[in-house]
Amino acid sequence: MAKVCIDPGHAGPTTDPGAVSPYTGLREADVALSVSLLVRSYLCAAGHEVCLTRTELEQPETDDLGYRTQFSNDWGADLFVSLHCNSATIPSAHGFEVWTSPGQTQGDVLATRVFEQIQGEFPDRYGRADYSDGDPDKESKFYVLVYTKAPACLIEMAFLSNEEESCLLADAAWQDRMARAVARGITDYFGIVGGDTD
């Protein structure tokens, strides 16, 4: 049984709601938690042990990124996956992204599996990829990617600043499809690296 830490981005409506849709008022923190809970359900059904860095709509202490990475490290996670919604000043910006820390790590393997599953689930959505190093993930020194000991990736599911994608992010059926895709990407990763990590 593998141990997977799922990180619902941001911390809640009053402390750190993340991006907010100008069209629906939908908050990134709420979407991230909804999808994360679904991912947990699917991974548990597949036999994995799952912890979330927050499980409520309002958990101010999780606004500290150090808390999130320490939580994952102390628990001994085998993987860390952070879920977010994107936003841009240009309303036409759209698509999904999967990020890892710089360099070639096991996080790249994880990100590729997740990217491929999201692309397969949503062939009509634009995958904002960077193939300059041979795989689709983008790279950045995001705190939660650099300071987690486990292979890690960060998923930007879609843009709250895009009217069409904001409506998709608000749709329960779409959230469920995204959660299934993310969970499949994670189980694909364990299939590649050898299954259970015990």
Side-chain angles (χ1 to χ4, degrees), residues 61-112:
E61 70 276 10
T62 68
D63 194 27
D64 177 5
L65 297 180
Y67 168 90
R68 296 170 185 253
T69 56
Q70 194 64 45
F71 178 93
S72 177
N73 294 340
D74 288 347
W75 184 54
D78 299 307
L79 278 187
F80 180 94
V81 177
S82 189
L83 289 166
H84 292 258
C85 304
N86 221 333
S87 184
T89 56
I90 302 172
S92 59
H94 65 286
F96 69 91
E97 300 170 339
V98 184
W99 292 80
T100 60
S101 57
Q104 289 296 310
T105 68
Q106 284 298 109
D108 292 71
V109 179
L110 169 64
T112 297

Side-chain angles (χ1 to χ4, degrees), residues 10-24:
H10 303 279
T14 61
T15 55
D16 178 20
V20 180
S21 168
Y23 308 103
T24 64

